[in-house]
Amino acid sequence: MNKKAIFFPSTVLAAVMSLVAGSAQAAYELNLKAPVTEIASQIYDLHMLIVYVCLAIFVVVFGFMFYSIYKHRKSVGHKAEQFHEHHTLEIIWTIIPALILAAMAVPATKTIFAMKDTTAADMTVKVTGHQWKWEYDYLDKDVKFISTLATSQDQIQNKAEKGENYLLEVDNPMVVPTGKKVRVLLTATDVIHAWWVPEFGVKQDAIPGFIKEVWFKAEKEGIYRGQCAELCGKDHGFMPIVVEAVSEDKYNEWIDAKKAAATAANAGADKEWTKDDLVANGKVVYEKNCAVCHQVTGAGLPPAFPAITGGKISTGPVADHLALVLNGKNMMPAWKALLNDVEIASVIAYERNALGNSVGDIVQPSAVKAAR
Amino acid sequence: MSTTTATHHDDHAHDSHGHPTGLMRWVKSTNHKDIGTMYLWFSFAMFLFAGAMAMGIRAELFQPGLQFVQPETFNQLTTLHGLIMIFGAIMPAFVGFANWQVPLMIGAPDMAFPRLNNMSFWLLIPAAILLIASIFVPGGAVAGGWTMYPPLSVQGGMSVDMSVFALHILGVSSIVGSINIITTIFNMRAPGMTLMKMPMFVWTWLITAYLLIAAMPVLAGALTMLITDRHFGTHFFNAAGGGDPVLFQHVFWFFGHPEVYIMILPAFGILSTIIPTFARKPLFGYASMVYATAAIAVLSFVVWAHHMFTTGMPVAGQLFFMYSTMLISVPTGVKVFNWLATMWKGSMTFETPMLFSIAVVFLFTIGGFSGLVCAILPVDIQLQDTYYVVAHFHYVLFSGAAMAIMGGVYYWLPKWTGHMYDEKLGKWHFWLTTIAFNVTFFPMHFTGLAGMPRRIPDYSQQFAEFNMISSLGAFALGLSQLLFLYVVIKCIRGGEKATNQVWEGAHGLEWTVASPAPFHTFETPPQVK
Amino acid sequence: MSQNTKNYYLPGPSFWPLIASISLFLLAGGFTMVLNKIAMGTPLMIAGGLALAYLLFGWFKEVIGESVGKLYNQQVDKSFRWGMGWFIFSEVMFFFGFFGALFYTRSVSLPWLADAQLLWPGFAATWPSAGPGLTEAFTPMGPWGLPAINTLLLLTSGATLTWAHWGLMKDNRKQLTIGLILTIALGVLFLYLQMHEYAEAGFTIKTGIYGATFYMLTGFHGLHVTMGAIMLSIILFRVLKGHFNAHDHFGFEAVAWYWHFVDVVWLFLFIFVYWL
Ligand code: HEA
Ligand code: HEA
Ligand code: CUA
Ligand SMILES: [Cu+2]
């Protein structure tokens, strides 16, 4: 089925058909995603169990109601009886639901204990939510990166054809080995976010200043997509999570590649840069990190997000500019933990000498390093 | 249930000594019926306003991509829709019913504190102005969700302050209103009207009033902490100062969960009034209904953290809140079974109020079951903050609370206006609403299960079809409510004259007075056997 | 519109509700503007405050007039009792929220913060605490100086008020008057010492969660003592005007209930905020 120009009756018909058939075609996903961890399958089964129990109760209870509506109506001449109490009956319909609930609680309790057991993990990743991106920090591997939405603004604003993984694709996915118990430490820096990968059965709020633990063990290779699941401001709908589960070998390769890339990126930190190089580099950094708030044009979204073009700080003393970008202020994030020296120097150069500004000065990456 | 033996004196004689007319009749009113009418109109206006915001939400979600509003505006629409529906539409509507019906049902001349009663109403106006005006201040309206979680709400602009103060004022209004209702019920019953003879609607409101006075001050506390965190440098919700963002959630939901029962118990009361009337049979299990309502109320104070299953509570907390939440299904089930037993072997007719009531029993139970699914903690891990939850709470709030209100309006409209409403149009309104409602919200169960988060302006393509269905349903649902408006106005302006009894099977004091109910009723208390 | 006292008294149309609504609107709107540094805020708030004062004065005057004019019967009196009782209950719940916040941070969030060594290295959960991110030192408030004296003051004031009540019930106007004056004096002294305590305190409302809970709880309590003292003064004024008699003095009792409630809140404050 195509995205646009769907004829309404056919849509309804298709929905009804797929409901009746009880089959989940691709276009009409009706149920939880196919689980790829033990916990997620327990959740799946638990959900099915409860739905069936509820359905059964529902059919019985409302069977009675519709029977009564059909039979005990005035228009068929039924005369009202006047009973209004029946203690035994009332006790029965208090106790039976309680027993059914107790039966549901047993498997649920078991799953809760399993979910909460983060001991004996094979590896630990610290995941930090920022407005509006995720930071992944492989604590035992010294690998750290930021992951942002990869879908283009053109697609979102309907100026380009939407891709297959519209809104569910990132530039830097999290990569994990299959069959390993991964412990995830969640936190955030600004507001509450929630890290959610449906196929893993993991959803956990990331709370600023606190660390919360969850775990998963992916049993099948694949790419798993989720989204931030706690309202976190303007771009809450635009901070997806992508996790790639790969074999152990591929995982190690990926770790090595990440490490090499980080070293390469930092290599330029000590050399002297020209203004043009910094500005050119800065454009990339700016559009990836800053444009969500300050906009690609630098116009910002006042009053929440000030303009860079003609901004007091972005055209004022460079030291203030550097200090603000490093340390943040109010909703403006502190970038020192997120960007390396070259990136910070570049983005400052870009802001001061592009986007309609032409202050002329720059800071060298070495100065950034010193200012940290 | 209760019958009047005292002959009722002619009330019309009193109608016009020294009462202002025109605008002043309303502004200075100390008459429970006039105040009830104002509450109901206010609530309906807010329903249309918040409904219009929902139309904005559904228009944006009609297709993937951003079409009409930018993300920030979308969040404002969602937040205001939630806040105004809950605090502006549903709650005042029930207070309107309480104002009209409680004195009539217990044979009281008016509310215990008529002036405070009017104050409760007039406080709604500044609150509504603050909420609505916040759209126009720099930065726009509140955008952090109706739950206003910090730190997001600490970031927001001036509109957060306006909304917080609006809620403070609404809190004062609710507390004063509940004190009034409690006092009226305890102190103003006609002789012979013992507690266990009170109509069920009065019972549910008595218990609701208790929920309100216990819950609203706690909300006020949470909001006050929010204000001081925003402006006076406290660190209640800031980890660096030893505070905790989750603290707000605990305090908020300690209010918030009782709040959802505040919005459903009076609806249960309305059902318990309408169903016996049209089944022509006394309410089944009156005593157990009273106990069940009380049990729901008590339990509602110990389940709040089921809204916080993904915040990472310790196991003991998670288990406690899961079990207690599941337990609420038992007394709620008792109520459902009692309604069915009331219908059983009755002699039913299906006028509009009865149609609404049956639909509410049926659809509310769907909402209750989806609530139960959410209560199963491991499952909620997948469902929290998805459209499944949106489906759940619209099933309990729209097809529970709002549709019960509609049923109640049709039921008592003849008593209020003296005219019968247009039965045919009423039935049309019922069927359009019920069908459109299900088309709108049933698919949300599926999008939620499949992983669509709530409070997002844009979604991935896998959800496109269901969202389009939901949106089309929503537009139809919105238009159907205009029909409701039309039916009500038509009924006020004229129609077949209503008898005192109005409905063949109706019982209770309110049906012993004239239709429309005279300005003053029961100045000398009736005698109840 | 007067009625005979056999029936429940129903007041006629009244402007006060509208004035209440306007005054709260001005206060809320004005306060919003003050918080957001909009110049119009202060005049609006002043106007709102004046309207509120006018309202309270006028409305209570009307009610007192009705009461003195013998328009109320037993049933109305009972309504006032129910009303006041549940109003105090709502106040209890308000404080409950803040106490809940105190208990929660002390027993739940601080230990969790201490567990998060990755974020807050070296932080240990102790009480009082200003949290892991604020570094300046502070001296917490001990219980046995001023706070203990204040406890004594408030407890005594509860006793003097009861003594005044006994006086009223025996129609001993002198005992009543003296009891009331003593109570008000003790209340005012309490407030004075409380202000002194604030001025001397080794921390502010910004000192982390300790400062926040301390000042919010004691501050709201102080506000209630202030309101109680004002209400007692009005009662004293009415007593001097010859209102109330041994059977009919609900106005007095309502304020007394309120005063005792404020007393009890203080005991909890003393135990959980100052002492433990
Ligand atoms: C009128 C309002 C109302 C009512 C009555 C309810 C009723 C219930 N709710 Fe709902 N709820 C909301 C309004 C309401 N809720 C709102 C507004 C939210 C979202 C807030 C937000 O985040 O914005 C919410 C969210 C919400 C959540 C959090 C979801 C999440 O965010 O992750 C949960 C989780 O436990 C929950 C559970 C329940 C349960 C168990 C009931 C129970 O009371 C239901 C009981 C009824 C039945 C079960 C059906 C009848 C019973 C029988 C026929 C007997 C037989 C049954 C059995 C034996 C099973 N609700
Ligand atoms: C009491 C409750 C109540 C009621 C009655 C409704 C009614 C409706 N709600 Fe409600 N809703 C909430 C309470 C309620 N909602 C709450 C608490 C939230 C959570 C907010 C949050 O996340 O913070 C929410 C969130 C919410 C969302 C999720 C938004 C998001 O997560 O981003 C959606 C999405 O579809 C939605 C849709 C609707 C629709 C279509 C209606 C319809 O039933 C409305 C029908 C009525 C009208 C439309 C008005 C009448 C008609 C007119 C005014 C004329 C104009 C008509 C046209 C242009 C067609 N609501
Ligand atoms: Cu991050 Cu929502
Ligand atoms: Cu709840």
Side-chain angles (χ1 to χ4, degrees):
Chain A
M1 263 206 167
N2 207 323
K3 306 103 222 169
K4 280 199 175 173
I6 316 163
F7 185 47
F8 170 57
S10 72
T11 319
V12 174
L13 201 69
V16 171
M17 267 164 36
S18 60
L19 285 182
V20 171
S23 68
Q25 337 161 244
Y28 293 98
E29 290 194 53
L30 296 173
N31 206 341
L32 293 168
K33 295 248 168 67
V36 296
T37 64
E38 173 60 30
I39 295 289
S41 22
Q42 286 185 19
I43 293 177
Y44 192 96
D45 297 342
L46 202 52
H47 173 249
M48 292 323 293
L49 171 76
I50 293 156
V51 167
Y52 286 133
V53 171
C54 287
L55 218 61
I57 300 176
F58 197 81
V59 168
V60 172
V61 170
F62 288 98
F64 269 102
M65 186 178 89
F66 283 114
Y67 176 82
S68 173
I69 287 177
Y70 182 67
K71 285 280 185 186
H72 309 143
R73 49 165 83 212
K74 200 179 173 194
S75 56
V76 297
H78 195 273
K79 289 274 174 305
E81 296 188 10
Q82 293 300 315
F83 63 85
H84 55 83
E85 250 177 358
H86 192 295
H87 288 300
T88 328
L89 201 58
E90 290 171 57
I91 290 170
I92 289 175
W93 70 40
T94 312
I95 289 180
I96 289 186
L99 292 179
I100 296 177
L101 291 172
M104 286 180 183
V106 175
T109 307
K110 281 192 191 135
T111 306
I112 292 177
F113 277 106
M115 270 172 18
K116 280 286 185 178
D117 178 17
T118 52
T119 54
D122 298 309
M123 56 185 280
T124 304
V125 183
K126 178 172 163 238
V127 179
T128 310
H130 303 278
Q131 278 173 322
W132 293 277
K133 53 187 154 281
W134 293 98
E135 177 193 350
Y136 295 91
D137 187 350
Y138 287 64
L139 288 179
D140 9 299
K141 290 283 198 267
D142 212 20
V143 165
K144 190 170 154 180
F145 56 91
I146 292 177
S147 168
T148 52
L149 177 71
T151 305
S152 71
Q153 273 298 314
D154 281 352
Q155 287 184 34
I156 295 172
Q157 304 290 350
N158 306 313
K159 290 183 196 127
E161 182 74 17
K162 294 181 176 33
E164 189 198 347
N165 293 312
Y166 177 68
L167 293 187
L168 295 178
E169 50 200 349
V170 298
D171 53 355
N172 258 328
M174 176 189 192
V175 177
V176 294
T178 49
K180 289 273 189 272
K181 182 165 181 177
V182 183
R183 186 166 72 124
V184 181
L185 303 181
L186 272 154
T187 185
T189 50
D190 32 42
V191 301
I192 304 176
H193 303 265
W195 195 80
W196 178 31
V197 182
E199 284 94 339
F200 295 171
V202 167
K203 184 189 284 148
Q204 172 61 51
D205 289 1
I207 297 157
F210 289 79
I211 287 188
K212 305 280 165 168
E213 295 185 355
V214 282
W215 70 273
F216 64 85
K217 191 196 267 177
E219 263 140 27
K220 216 167 84 204
E221 290 190 26
I223 301 180
Y224 305 110
R225 297 169 198 277
Q227 281 177 275
C228 175
E230 182 66 56
L231 179 58
C232 53
K234 175 170 83 73
D235 282 353
H236 161 61
F238 305 92
M239 53 181 293
I241 293 138
V242 178
V243 182
E244 268 182 63
V246 296
S247 68
E248 176 120 44
D249 291 346
K250 279 212 199 118
Y251 168 72
N252 288 329
E253 272 170 41
W254 175 81
I255 287 278
D256 293 340
K258 273 281 166 200
K259 279 188 174 157
T263 340
N266 238 336
D270 298 320
K271 85 168 205 238
E272 194 75 4
W273 285 65
T274 68
K275 187 164 112 189
D276 289 347
D277 285 349
L278 278 180
V279 172
N281 195 24
K283 183 172 162 58
V284 183
V285 182
Y286 180 87
E287 277 165 13
K288 178 161 154 16
N289 295 296
C290 322
V292 274
C293 297
H294 298 292
Q295 306 297 298
V296 186
T297 58
L301 288 172
F305 307 115
I308 299 297
T309 313
K312 233 201 239 126
I313 293 183
S314 39
T315 58
V318 72
D320 294 350
H321 195 165
L322 175 60
L324 180 73
V325 175
L326 281 175
N327 302 317
K329 185 182 170 199
N330 300 329
M331 268 186 84
M332 163 77 181
W335 291 96
K336 63 179 165 197
L338 303 174
L339 299 178
N340 66 32
D341 301 337
V342 179
E343 285 166 329
I344 291 185
S346 315
V347 79
I348 290 177
Y350 180 70
E351 287 186 335
R352 300 177 77 76
N353 302 295
L355 300 173
N357 293 337
S358 50
V359 190
D361 53 354
I362 53 168
V363 280
Q364 287 295 339
S366 50
V368 177
K369 197 178 202 168
R372 273 177 195 267
Chain B
M1 182 178 316
S2 45
T3 43
T4 320
T5 47
T7 43
H8 200 266
H9 69 181
D10 183 15
D11 296 290
H12 291 278
H14 291 275
D15 252 15
S16 57
H17 43 201
H19 279 286
T21 47
L23 185 63
M24 282 308 131
R25 164 174 173 191
W26 304 100
V27 169
K28 297 167 74 170
S29 177
T30 45
N31 179 284
H32 72 102
K33 302 187 186 77
D34 280 0
I35 296 173
T37 304
M38 289 196 287
Y39 261 109
L40 288 166
W41 276 114
F42 174 84
S43 135
F44 197 70
M46 289 296 120
F47 177 66
L48 292 187
F49 186 84
M53 311 234 119
M55 297 298 106
I57 295 172
R58 284 319 321 171
E60 180 55 56
L61 293 177
F62 189 63
Q63 284 183 347
L66 295 179
Q67 282 84 22
F68 302 102
V69 294
Q70 289 305 304
E72 189 62 17
T73 317
F74 182 89
N75 292 346
Q76 295 172 13
L77 287 177
T78 299
T79 307
L80 277 186
H81 164 70
L83 277 175
I84 295 184
M85 275 294 184
I86 286 179
F87 292 100
I90 303 293
M91 290 171 69
F94 284 133
V95 184
F97 277 101
N99 255 300
W100 256 102
Q101 296 312 132
V102 167
L104 279 180
M105 286 177 153
I106 63 173
D110 205 297
M111 298 290 278
F113 305 111
R115 281 172 295 217
L116 284 180
N117 193 20
N118 194 27
M119 184 180 96
S120 296
F121 171 76
W122 281 99
L123 287 181
L124 300 180
I125 305 294
I129 296 177
L130 283 170
L131 274 177
I132 293 172
S134 77
I135 299 173
F136 306 103
V137 304
V142 266
W146 81 278
T147 49
M148 300 208 275
Y149 285 180
L152 187 60
S153 55
V154 174
Q155 283 183 348
M158 172 172 173
S159 55
V160 178
D161 303 324
M162 294 170 80
S163 312
V164 165
F165 292 137
L167 291 183
H168 271 132
I169 294 177
L170 289 172
V172 174
S173 158
S174 293
I175 291 168
V176 173
S178 330
I179 291 175
N180 213 337
I181 288 171
I182 291 177
T183 308
T184 307
I185 295 174
F186 274 129
N187 199 28
M188 310 272 291
R189 273 171 289 132
M193 171 80 70
T194 58
L195 283 178
M196 287 314 264
K197 272 192 197 159
M198 286 196 313
M200 201 53 213
F201 178 75
V202 180
W203 257 114
T204 54
W205 242 113
L206 178 64
I207 291 168
T208 304
Y210 275 112
L211 290 181
L212 276 167
I213 17 178
M216 293 308 285
V218 178
L219 172 69
L223 295 172
T224 307
M225 292 184 229
L226 192 58
I227 284 287
T228 58
D229 261 25
R230 282 170 58 81
H231 295 289
F232 299 103
T234 57
H235 291 94
F236 284 109
F237 311 129
N238 178 1
D244 185 348
V246 176
L247 166 62
F248 179 88
Q249 301 183 17
H250 279 291
V251 187
F252 180 89
W253 288 115
F254 183 86
F255 144 82
H257 189 83
E259 166 71 16
V260 307
Y261 289 100
I262 288 166
M263 293 186 286
I264 203 67
L265 292 185
F268 288 173
I270 292 176
L271 297 189
S272 305
T273 314
I274 295 179
I275 292 176
T277 299
F278 294 98
R280 293 170 180 74
K281 213 172 134 253
L283 180 65
F284 187 88
Y286 174 84
S288 67
M289 284 296 231
V290 172
Y291 300 136
T293 313
I296 293 174
V298 171
L299 280 174
S300 76
F301 280 103
V302 293
V303 301
W304 75 86
H306 65 220
H307 296 274
M308 304 164 57
F309 281 157
T310 60
T311 54
M313 275 182 287
V315 182
Q318 294 197 329
L319 289 177
F320 173 80
F321 286 109
M322 177 174 83
Y323 298 150
S324 59
T325 303
M326 292 171 75
L327 208 57
I328 284 207
S329 308
V330 174
T332 316
V334 167
K335 306 212 73 153
V336 171
F337 300 140
N338 279 335
W339 291 322
L340 299 192
T342 308
M343 291 185 214
W344 187 254
K345 302 221 158 143
S347 173
M348 277 188 271
T349 50
F350 303 95
E351 288 87 344
T352 311
M354 183 62 163
L355 288 177
F356 269 103
S357 303
I358 291 173
V360 171
V361 175
F362 186 80
L363 297 173
F364 171 82
T365 303
I366 297 182
F369 282 149
S370 63
L372 185 66
V373 172
C374 288
I376 309 292
L377 191 144
V379 180
D380 187 58
I381 294 294
Q382 294 285 38
L383 301 179
Q384 198 268 338
D385 258 316
T386 65
Y387 263 79
Y388 192 89
V389 177
V390 177
H392 158 63
F393 67 71
H394 283 93
Y395 268 84
V396 281
L397 277 173
F398 191 98
S399 64
M403 280 173 65
I405 290 171
M406 292 170 191
V409 167
Y410 283 111
Y411 184 63
W412 280 301
L413 208 49
K415 178 57 63 187
W416 297 340
T417 64
H419 306 293
M420 292 306 287
Y421 59 88
D422 187 328
E423 186 64 53
K424 202 154 138 221
L425 286 182
K427 288 210 166 97
W428 267 100
H429 171 229
F430 167 77
W431 285 109
L432 285 173
T433 302
T434 307
I435 293 169
F437 168 79
N438 283 291
V439 174
T440 310
F441 292 104
F442 205 76
M444 291 185 188
H445 292 109
F446 302 129
T447 44
L449 282 167
M452 178 165 160
R454 62 193 275 210
R455 297 166 167 173
I456 55 170
D458 194 4
Y459 47 85
S460 62
Q461 312 228 42
Q462 51 182 319
F463 308 122
E465 279 79 10
F466 278 138
N467 269 290
M468 191 172 281
I469 298 174
S470 280
S471 289
L472 291 169
F475 301 145
L477 184 58
L479 290 177
S480 321
Q481 303 323 308
L482 298 181
L483 179 58
F484 184 37
L485 180 65
Y486 174 74
V487 177
V488 171
I489 292 180
K490 187 167 172 224
C491 175
I492 293 173
R493 308 187 82 188
E496 192 196 323
K497 191 92 193 62
T499 59
N500 292 6
Q501 167 86 5
V502 182
W503 310 110
E504 188 193 8
H507 284 283
L509 289 174
E510 79 257 46
W511 307 109
T512 61
V513 303
S515 302
F519 198 68
H520 292 295
T521 35
F522 304 128
E523 282 186 324
T524 11
Q527 188 72 38
V528 180
K529 263 203 298 216
Chain C
M1 191 187 76
S2 57
Q3 284 174 322
N4 63 31
T5 44
K6 261 186 27 220
N7 282 340
Y8 195 86
Y9 175 74
L10 294 177
S14 167
F15 249 126
W16 298 120
L18 186 71
I19 302 205
S21 149
I22 293 174
S23 76
L24 283 194
F25 183 52
L26 291 175
L27 280 172
F31 195 33
T32 309
M33 293 187 188
V34 168
L35 291 177
N36 291 280
K37 311 204 169 46
I38 297 173
M40 234 199 352
T42 319
L44 282 185
M45 274 193 85
I46 293 173
L50 289 176
L52 189 67
Y54 170 63
L55 161 83
L56 290 176
F57 187 77
W59 194 336
F60 275 112
K61 196 171 157 196
E62 197 172 304
V63 172
I64 291 166
E66 287 159 4
S67 162
V68 174
K70 301 265 178 278
L71 293 174
Y72 294 164
N73 60 10
Q74 283 291 305
Q75 203 187 356
V76 178
D77 185 72
K78 225 166 151 191
S79 280
F80 280 121
R81 285 165 196 277
W82 280 105
M84 189 65 193
W86 291 112
F87 168 68
I88 289 178
F89 175 71
S90 77
E91 292 267 42
V92 170
M93 290 310 291
F94 181 76
F95 278 98
F96 176 81
F98 283 94
F99 275 108
L102 175 70
F103 297 144
Y104 180 82
T105 36
R106 283 181 62 166
S107 54
V108 180
S109 26
L110 284 171
W112 273 353
L113 285 169
D115 280 347
Q117 286 294 320
L118 208 57
L119 299 176
W120 311 109
F123 178 69
T126 52
W127 187 257
S129 167
L134 306 184
T135 42
E136 82 263 31
F138 66 95
T139 20
M141 191 70 67
W144 300 123
L146 275 185
I149 299 178
N150 265 345
T151 310
L152 232 79
L153 287 180
L154 273 195
L155 288 180
T156 319
S157 78
T160 53
L161 189 58
T162 306
W163 186 67
H165 194 190
W166 290 344
L168 177 54
M169 288 194 300
K170 289 181 302 196
D171 255 333
N172 181 342
R173 304 297 283 192
K174 199 164 153 215
Q175 180 178 339
L176 169 62
T177 317
I178 295 177
L180 269 175
I181 294 178
L182 277 177
T183 312
I184 296 168
L186 287 167
V188 172
L189 188 59
F190 169 90
L191 285 172
Y192 172 76
L193 291 181
Q194 189 77 359
M195 265 160 19
H196 192 67
E197 176 186 297
Y198 281 5
E200 306 277 286
F203 59 99
T204 70
I205 196 170
K206 299 183 180 172
T207 311
I209 191 66
Y210 176 65
T213 47
F214 177 88
Y215 279 102
M216 290 295 268
L217 275 163
T218 57
F220 271 114
H221 176 262
L223 203 69
H224 281 76
V225 177
T226 314
M227 305 223 297
I230 294 175
M231 285 166 10
L232 280 173
S233 309
I234 294 170
I235 295 295
L236 176 64
F237 179 74
R238 288 184 63 189
V239 166
L240 294 178
K241 274 187 79 173
H243 292 184
F244 306 125
N245 59 47
H247 324 283
D248 198 0
H249 53 257
F250 178 66
F252 178 94
E253 277 178 301
V255 176
W257 290 356
Y258 191 78
W259 193 257
H260 291 311
F261 148 71
V262 174
D263 248 14
V264 173
V265 172
W266 175 262
L267 287 181
F268 279 93
L269 281 179
F270 183 70
I271 296 172
F272 294 110
V273 175
Y274 289 94
W275 187 4
L276 295 181

